[in-house]
Amino acid sequence: MNTTINIIGSGFSSLAAASYLARSGSNVTVYEKNSTIGGRARQLKKDGFTFDMGPTWYWMPDVFERFFEDFGKRPKDYYELKKLSPAYSVCFGMNDFITIGDNLDEICRVFDKTEPGSSRKLRKFIAEAKSNYDIAIKDLVYRPGLSPLELVTPQTIAKLGQFFGNISKDIRKEFKNKKLVQILEFPVLFLGAKPSDTPSFYSFMNYADFGLGTWYPKGGMFSVVEAMQQLAIEQGVKFVTNADVEKIEVDEDGCATHIIVNGERIAGDITLSGADYHHTETLLDKKYRQYSEGYWERKTFAPSSLLFYVGFNKPVENVEHHTLFFDVEFDQHAADIYDNPKWPEQPLFYASFSAKTDSDTAPQGMEAGTFLIPLAPGLEDTPKLREQYFEKIMTRLENLTQQSLKDSILFKESFCVNDFVNDYNSYKGNAYGLANTLLQTAFLRPGLKSNKVKNLFFTGQLTVPGPGVPPALISGKLVAGLIEKQLYKQPKQTFTKRYEINI
């Protein structure tokens, strides 16, 4: 097959799609606007320190295994993977930490110590979460979101009520200790919405947490990016960096025919965008855009983030590789993101200290710290605000872990709303895409295939199946499948209409 496919962006979904499409015999080229590949999962290196700029959590290892197995490979063919023990720690105040182990038995002991008798409820909750995981991750998320009937199976019918309940209510019904409630609500934050707005069925994220555990690829998440690029190159994919796509051209028949890259007109039979969906549509003349500005305004977006990458000249004590700081009011911070968007007065934050696991990420005797504060997208972003919030979290970090750290900072780099817009063309500077609420699930998300432009497709966190690294890999596979069906002119599925509820 001599089909030419041009892919915009080099995030996880684009990398996955590129490999599948090249394996089928197409000539695939990936165009990345930045100087290095990876999209939000780029890497920062400075003065002997190494940081993942985006994702730092490796969850759902089975999804990665399934991806590489599609090519007769295994993750260990490309990178070394280690299960973290403990998985992470949650700080609720000075000398008040709950550490999550690497197996359910250990976690149950911690739960019983915190709330006597809660382990029995936890085992029941995780058993249900595993059942949901088996339905969702092993089946439903591998469907392309073309029809509501994709969600109708004997298994989902049996769990229909879980699509209309919410995680927060379910957890609070069974667990009374506030700390345990927050720990159980934490995993669904990866889906981009408040627990009270996340359907009960999404408890499968709790199985991803307590059942499958937290892993770390040596070298960080960028090692996975490099692995996927290497796999793509093995399939024949070409990569072009510093390649800013300025326009998608559509001919008189309504077919995408060219992309304009740094002023150069490049022909292609298929155009696939893994870039921000909203931005991609602005590359089209207005009449070819599927979704209005009002549509995007009405959607619930996952948060943006204020990130700091900090080099310390000594180890940071009393923390784990992954540490969550929940020492302030969770509900208030959530309201500042979703209900009344503003900079939070007292933000929760997350910290990663990768050198606790991987000594290569910092010079000997030093520490690489990554800090993340979730924020509402579209907020004002200034150097003064960044500095103010860095001071807030460093002061709390020192107090909560009882050590002096500010004088040990060698450097810090920051990344926030403006950078998400400038580097990734991200809508309102969001970090994670569209939240997975009930009305933004599966066929109710923006489609993988344009319904106005022939041969134009989309992949990534704003489309099916949703935000997160494992869903991005799945999104790449799904869109590649749709493209291959079109190229090979296989029989169309019975239901291809896009369903949207504009509320």
Side-chain angles (χ1 to χ4, degrees):
M1 182 183 294
N2 294 318
T3 304
T4 296
I5 300 177
N6 294 323
I7 299 181
I8 305 171
S10 65
F12 284 111
S13 58
S14 292
L15 292 173
S19 286
Y20 286 112
L21 293 168
R23 182 185 63 179
S24 296
S26 296
N27 298 315
V28 180
T29 302
V30 175
Y31 296 91
E32 168 57 52
K33 76 181 288 285
N34 294 304
S35 60
T36 59
I37 68 159
R40 286 166 169 78
R42 290 184 298 162
Q43 186 182 69
L44 171 65
K45 287 192 172 186
K46 183 171 181 177
D47 299 343
F49 294 82
T50 301
F51 305 88
D52 281 318
M53 294 184 68
T56 57
W57 293 78
Y58 191 107
W59 273 9
M60 303 183 188
D62 52 321
V63 174
F64 295 87
E65 290 165 6
R66 184 168 174 175
F67 168 73
F68 284 103
E69 284 173 0
D70 283 344
F71 300 89
K73 302 287 186 177
R74 296 169 295 180
K76 69 179 182 180
D77 293 331
Y78 297 94
Y79 53 88
E80 179 184 337
L81 199 59
K82 177 180 180 179
K83 191 175 188 182
L84 295 184
S85 180
Y88 56 91
S89 181
V90 187
C91 175
F92 294 99
M94 189 176 298
N95 297 318
D96 188 3
F97 287 78
I98 291 181
T99 300
I100 302 301
D102 68 350
N103 62 84
L104 186 57
D105 288 341
E106 188 175 338
I107 296 169
C108 282
R109 287 192 288 271
V110 170
F111 266 59
D112 271 339
K113 184 178 178 180
T114 307
E115 181 181 314
S118 61
S119 65
R120 178 182 57 82
K121 297 178 181 179
L122 179 63
R123 289 186 186 277
K124 181 180 178 181
F125 181 76
I126 296 301
E128 182 68 20
K130 181 182 185 303
S131 172
N132 290 351
Y133 189 92
D134 289 341
I135 295 169
I137 305 302
K138 296 181 180 179
D139 183 16
L140 291 185
V141 296
Y142 284 92
R143 301 184 182 192
L146 299 178
S147 162
L149 295 183
E150 291 177 2
L151 300 179
V152 181
T153 69
Q155 293 80 12
T156 57
I157 291 173
K159 294 177 179 285
L160 186 62
Q162 291 194 32
F163 287 93
F164 299 98
N166 70 73
I167 285 283
S168 181
K169 184 177 179 180
D170 294 346
I171 291 171
R172 291 165 191 266
K173 180 180 178 181
E174 299 294 337
F175 302 90
K176 306 308 177 186
N177 184 277
K178 185 176 180 179
K179 298 173 187 176
L180 299 186
V181 167
Q182 290 186 348
I183 289 171
L184 287 169
E185 288 182 339
F186 154 67
V188 301
L189 297 179
F190 283 97
L191 301 173
K194 291 192 298 184
S196 58
D197 292 332
T198 302
S200 302
F201 184 73
Y202 285 96
S203 67
F204 63 72
M205 291 297 295
N206 293 99
Y207 177 71
D209 181 1
F210 288 179
L212 297 176
T214 302
W215 299 74
Y216 175 78
K218 184 173 176 57
M221 290 296 289
F222 192 70
S223 295
V224 185
V225 172
E226 292 178 314
M228 293 181 69
Q229 181 187 31
Q230 180 58 40
L231 175 64
I233 290 171
E234 291 168 5
Q235 309 306 310
V237 177
K238 303 178 185 68
F239 288 86
V240 183
T241 54
N242 296 307
D244 187 15
V245 177
E246 300 158 345
K247 187 174 179 60
I248 299 172
E249 289 190 351
V250 180
D251 68 12
E252 58 187 15
D253 294 323
C255 183
T257 58
H258 295 78
I259 56 175
I260 307 299
V261 183
N262 297 336
E264 180 184 356
R265 191 164 179 260
I266 299 172
D269 299 300
I270 299 285
T271 299
L272 167 61
S273 180
D276 179 273
Y277 204 123
H278 170 271
H279 169 73
T280 302
E281 289 221 309
T282 68
L283 302 179
L284 295 163
D285 290 339
K286 197 167 184 177
K287 64 180 179 180
Y288 294 121
R289 299 173 191 174
Q290 303 171 94
Y291 305 107
S292 68
E293 288 299 315
Y295 171 90
W296 295 109
E297 284 286 343
R298 290 190 295 269
K299 291 301 174 183
T300 300
F301 275 80
S304 185
S305 299
L306 170 56
L307 291 135
F308 295 102
Y309 313 103
V310 185
F312 295 94
N313 67 9
K314 67 177 184 180
V316 177
E317 305 294 340
N318 304 322
V319 292
E320 300 295 342
H321 180 140
H322 295 298
T323 305
L324 303 166
F325 290 87
F326 285 3
D327 56 303
V328 297
E329 186 56 45
F330 180 99
D331 291 338
Q332 182 57 54
H333 191 164
D336 292 340
I337 295 173
Y338 296 102
D339 302 332
N340 181 29
K342 63 180 181 179
W343 282 84
E345 288 190 19
Q346 295 295 328
L348 289 82
F349 67 98
Y350 154 72
S352 170
F353 304 97
S354 56
K356 302 290 182 192
T357 301
D358 186 353
S359 60
D360 291 342
T361 61
Q364 185 174 3
M366 300 187 188
E367 195 85 73
T370 299
F371 300 87
L372 182 152
I373 301 173
L375 297 173
L379 293 182
E380 177 188 23
D381 172 17
T382 67
K384 182 178 179 180
L385 281 166
R386 296 189 190 194
E387 194 62 34
Q388 176 184 339
Y389 278 81
F390 184 72
E391 178 65 23
K392 280 179 183 274
I393 65 172
M394 282 300 112
T395 297
R396 279 169 50 198
L397 180 65
E398 286 187 323
N399 292 337
L400 293 167
T401 61
Q402 302 180 61
Q403 61 192 306
S404 174
L405 290 170
K406 293 177 185 177
D407 292 340
S408 299
I409 294 174
L410 297 173
F411 66 84
K412 73 173 185 295
E413 300 284 346
S414 65
F415 199 95
C416 196
V417 173
N418 292 345
D419 301 300
F420 281 103
V421 173
N422 293 333
D423 287 11
Y424 309 130
N425 296 309
S426 172
Y427 181 74
K428 291 188 176 181
N430 81 84
Y432 305 110
L434 279 176
N436 256 336
T437 60
L438 178 61
L439 294 177
Q440 294 181 176
T441 294
F443 64 96
L444 295 174
R445 299 179 71 83
L448 291 166
K449 186 180 189 302
S450 174
N451 58 22
K452 286 194 173 184
V453 179
K454 300 172 188 175
N455 296 346
L456 175 60
F457 295 81
F458 301 84
T459 187
Q461 60 187 7
L462 290 179
T463 183
V464 181
V469 178
L473 269 64
I474 295 169
S475 185
K477 180 174 184 174
L478 291 174
V479 75
L482 291 182
I483 293 171
E484 288 168 354
K485 282 183 179 180
Q486 176 171 307
L487 293 177
Y488 287 106
K489 301 187 184 301
Q490 294 180 4
K492 293 181 180 179
Q493 294 187 14
T494 304
F495 297 92
T496 57
K497 181 180 178 181
R498 288 293 307 160
Y499 290 77
E500 300 295 345
I501 297 179
N502 293 310
I503 65 169

